[in-house]
Amino acid sequence: MNRGANVALTREIPGLTRVAVGASWNAGSERVLDENLVLALLLCGPDSRVLSGEHVVFFNQLTSPDEAVAVRDRALGGDQEQVEVDLQRVPADVSRLVAVLYVNEGTTQRRTLGQLRSVSVVVRDGYNHRELVRSEDLAPVLQAETALVLGEVYRHGGDWKFKVVGEGYRTGIAGIAADYGLPL
């Protein structure tokens, strides 16, 4: 799927109740970069703002308060990291789940997403891990960005859809925090 493209997940796949949102990348020989990339899912309300600091799921906060969203212990299907979403348990006040990838700023050597050979977002069936959606390679347009909004799973009427975003941030997680109201 290209940037901006979307797909009606639950309308096209009736009975889909669980998905795994994953990130797949190739950092080549950039081991420091590879080891410091983080996938996070932001649980946002209708205003596209994170509901609270507890509504960010990543390596340091493994589940959402309602436990509808959780980091997978081990990513499957070739993804480096995955976050699972139980679509039926996502609270009604959450209208979108925004998947972001960022360089953990704790590294001593400056790395950027522009050093990646490839990066894509993948949505899989949460039960059998079958690939449902894969974005195009988002790496070719990246340069000095240190954070990237990969895509979002969002409510549309009574269904769940997925959209590829592919928007990079040179200001890293701080830029995403500012746009999505994420407390740092």
Side-chain angles (χ1 to χ4, degrees):
M1 288 181 55
N2 296 328
R3 284 179 178 80
N6 64 51
V7 61
L9 292 172
T10 55
R11 190 181 72 204
E12 291 188 21
I13 308 168
L16 182 67
T17 60
R18 189 178 210 86
V19 296
V21 178
S24 177
W25 64 79
N26 179 350
S29 62
E30 286 292 335
R31 216 177 81 118
V32 171
L33 176 62
D34 188 39
E35 293 172 352
N36 287 287
L37 290 177
V38 176
L39 174 67
L41 226 61
L42 314 177
L43 285 73
C44 298
D47 59 354
S48 295
R49 310 283 283 171
V50 174
L51 297 179
S52 76
E54 295 178 346
H55 289 87
V56 178
V57 177
F58 67 117
F59 74 90
N60 214 20
Q61 189 161 276
L62 300 175
T63 63
S64 60
D66 47 56
E67 297 183 355
V69 180
V71 173
R72 285 196 51 85
D73 290 341
R74 186 174 62 89
L76 301 172
D79 299 341
Q80 274 81 356
E81 291 196 28
Q82 288 176 336
V83 178
E84 275 195 325
V85 180
D86 184 336
L87 298 171
Q88 295 178 315
R89 291 183 61 195
V90 175
D93 58 344
V94 175
S95 62
R96 63 186 63 243
L97 302 132
V98 180
V100 301
L101 183 70
Y102 66 94
V103 179
N104 189 348
E105 306 254 347
T107 61
T108 56
Q109 299 174 350
R110 178 80 172 146
R111 297 290 187 251
T112 70
L113 297 175
Q115 295 170 288
L116 292 174
R117 292 182 178 174
S118 66
V119 62
S120 59
V121 60
V122 181
V123 178
R124 298 178 184 281
D125 184 307
Y127 289 106
N128 61 23
H129 309 291
R130 179 175 55 98
E131 185 175 301
L132 304 174
V133 178
R134 177 178 292 272
S135 73
E136 66 181 345
D137 182 6
L138 302 171
V141 298
L142 298 172
Q143 295 176 5
E145 292 84 356
T146 55
L148 174 68
V149 175
L150 296 164
E152 55 187 30
V153 177
Y154 65 97
R155 293 182 198 265
H156 182 74
D159 292 316
W160 286 97
K161 295 179 86 174
F162 175 76
K163 177 181 180 180
V164 176
V165 177
E167 181 181 350
Y169 285 76
R170 290 177 184 240
T171 54
I173 194 67
I176 288 175
D179 281 0
Y180 290 91
L182 176 64
L184 287 180

